[in-house]
Amino acid sequence: GESDYKSSGIPSLLEFTASITKYMPDTDSLTSARSQPLGQKFANTMVDCLTSSKSEVRSAAEKLIKSCIEESVISVDKFKRGLEHLKPASQRSVAPIIIKISGGASSSNAEKDIHTKKAKPLPNSKITKRGKTEGSRIGHSSREQSST
């Protein structure tokens, strides 16, 4: 069935792609028909795979990301930028994986870059079911904003 394809097909595809990255070009030099760099689209898709509920997909995506970085197919920066479109909770769970995969060569800067982009989630803050943030330094509480 379709669920069999989804559960076994995606990890297999990611693993196969990881096995051939040494033959792949630098995707930053390739553009789509709309002149958009293909590397960023590819990176975004792989970052999305790191949020999968299936451990096989996450594991295969990690291997592919590592291989793409090692073979200079996609730069670490593209994967970091791929985090920006994720929800803050996903950013918090995926950012450490990207930092680990990148080898920690510039891990303190990488972690700083990831946590200072867009949403700026705080590691100790929690979002309640009603969307209120607890334990953060946000200037206005959700209660103040939604009481209109």
Side-chain angles (χ1 to χ4, degrees):
E2 188 175 309
S3 63
D4 291 338
Y5 168 75
K6 286 183 178 178
S7 65
S8 65
I10 300 297
S12 298
L13 182 61
L14 293 171
E15 289 168 5
F16 169 73
T17 306
S19 74
I20 61 167
T21 53
K22 61 184 168 192
Y23 304 108
M24 296 171 70
D26 175 355
T27 57
D28 291 337
S29 64
L30 301 175
T31 56
S32 68
R34 298 180 189 181
S35 298
Q36 297 173 339
L38 293 178
Q40 190 60 62
K41 288 183 173 190
F42 193 29
N44 291 351
T45 302
M46 286 187 276
V47 168
D48 284 339
C49 287
L50 292 175
T51 66
S52 173
S53 62
K54 301 202 176 294
S55 63
E56 300 87 12
V57 173
R58 293 191 310 270
S59 175
E62 277 190 53
K63 289 176 187 170
L64 179 53
I65 291 169
K66 183 174 181 164
S67 184
C68 284
I69 292 169
E70 288 173 353
E71 298 293 337
S72 300
V73 174
I74 300 175
S75 68
V76 176
D77 291 336
K78 295 276 189 268
F79 292 107
K80 290 177 193 171
R81 265 187 241 128
L83 292 168
E84 294 176 5
H85 74 278
L86 298 177
K87 293 179 181 177
S90 295
Q91 287 179 7
R92 286 191 295 273
S93 64
V94 173
I97 298 169
I98 300 294
I99 291 166
K100 180 187 84 173
I101 292 171
S102 67
S106 59
S107 64
S108 60
N109 288 338
E111 192 166 0
K112 182 181 176 187
D113 289 347
I114 288 169
H115 290 297
T116 56
K117 297 283 182 195
K118 252 185 181 176
K120 297 184 183 179
L122 296 175
N124 296 330
S125 62
K126 296 177 185 175
I127 305 290
T128 63
K129 287 183 182 178
R130 295 185 181 174
K132 296 177 185 173
T133 306
E134 297 176 353
S136 68
R137 59 177 180 226
I138 294 175
H140 303 286
S141 71
S142 298
R143 197 176 311 178
E144 290 174 291
Q145 291 173 353
S146 62
S147 62
T148 54

